[in-house]
Amino acid sequence: MKIMKISLFAVSVLSIIFGALMILTADGSTQEIESLMVILIASVFLVGTAIFHAIDLLRKSIDDKGKSDN
C-alpha cells in the first residue's frame, strides 16, 4: 500500500513537471491547452494521493485508539 502511494505521488509530480516543460515548448494555443490538461490531471492524482493518505492515517489512528481502550 505504501509503495502504491509513493508511486502515485511520483507519477503526479513527474506529470506536473512534464506539463510545465510542455508549456515551455508549446508553439500554439492548442499545445498550451494540452499542457494545462496534463497538469490538471496530475493535480487530480496528487489530490487523490493526499486523500488516500489521509484516510489511511485516520484508519490507523482509529485502530490505535481501539487498541489502547482495551
Side-chain angles (χ1 to χ4, degrees), residues 1 11 17 20 29 31 34 46:
M1 192 100 70
V11 166
I17 292 170
S29 63
Q31 289 178 346
E34 290 172 354
L46 199 59

Side-chain angles (χ1 to χ4, degrees), residues 2 10 13-14 17 21 23 29 35 40-41 43-44 49 51-53 56-57 59 67:
K2 186 174 183 177
V13 170
L14 290 175
I17 292 170
L21 291 175
I23 287 176
S29 63
S35 304
L40 178 67
I41 291 169
S43 299
V44 168
T49 304
I51 290 171
F52 187 70
H53 183 66
D56 192 37
L57 287 177
R59 185 178 304 139
K67 289 178 183 176

Side-chain angles (χ1 to χ4, degrees), residues 24-36:
L24 291 176
T25 61
D27 291 336
S29 63
T30 304
Q31 289 178 346
E32 289 175 1
I33 291 172
E34 290 172 354
S35 304
L36 291 174

